[in-house]
Amino acid sequence: QVQVVESGGGLVQAGGSLRLSCAASGNIFRVSTMAWYRQAPAKQRELVAAIERDGTTRYVDSVKDRFTISRHNARNMVWLQMDTLKPEDTAVYYCNAIGTQNVFGVEFNSWGQGTQVTVSS
């Protein structure tokens, strides 16, 4: 199986910064997409940022120009640099990794346990 572990959450004031880290491990042949999702109380989980192996990125409009996603393919790691944080960014942030486990094309779609980000006003 494939395990995903994220960390780096915490409590910050509005305007502050945090950097989230995530690593995928286990039975991995290739990780295709790595992404960060978040879920606030009483809200649906939403995609925050995603990055492909070639470095192509996408962001939800609300975080563009404030957040930056990056990855290291060989280490199966991804980061989310969050700047100019706002109270509405408060949520549990989850790391997601999608790829194949072996040469036969067996796929995986694994999630981390989540890390809490709280932004005070």
Side-chain angles (χ1 to χ4, degrees), residues 1-4 24-32 53 76 97-111:
Q1 61 179 12
V2 176
Q3 297 82 42
V4 175
S25 62
N27 193 14
I28 298 173
F29 180 72
R30 178 175 287 105
V31 177
S32 56
R53 289 187 65 85
N76 296 321
I98 299 173
T100 54
Q101 297 186 41
N102 55 45
V103 297
F104 303 112
V106 177
E107 299 179 347
F108 68 85
N109 185 338
S110 298
W111 294 83

Side-chain angles (χ1 to χ4, degrees), residues 56-76:
T56 302
T57 60
R58 52 193 170 107
Y59 301 88
V60 66
D61 286 344
S62 60
V63 309
K64 288 181 178 178
D65 301 319
R66 297 191 298 119
F67 292 9
T68 303
I69 188 171
S70 59
R71 68 185 285 176
H72 191 293
N73 292 338
R75 297 181 183 273
N76 296 321

Side-chain angles (χ1 to χ4, degrees), residues 37-46 48 89-94 116:
Y37 289 74
R38 67 186 180 188
Q39 187 167 23
K43 293 186 177 180
Q44 297 286 331
R45 185 172 298 188
E46 69 171 348
V48 178
D89 295 318
T90 295
V92 177
Y93 284 70
Y94 298 90
Q116 177 71 48

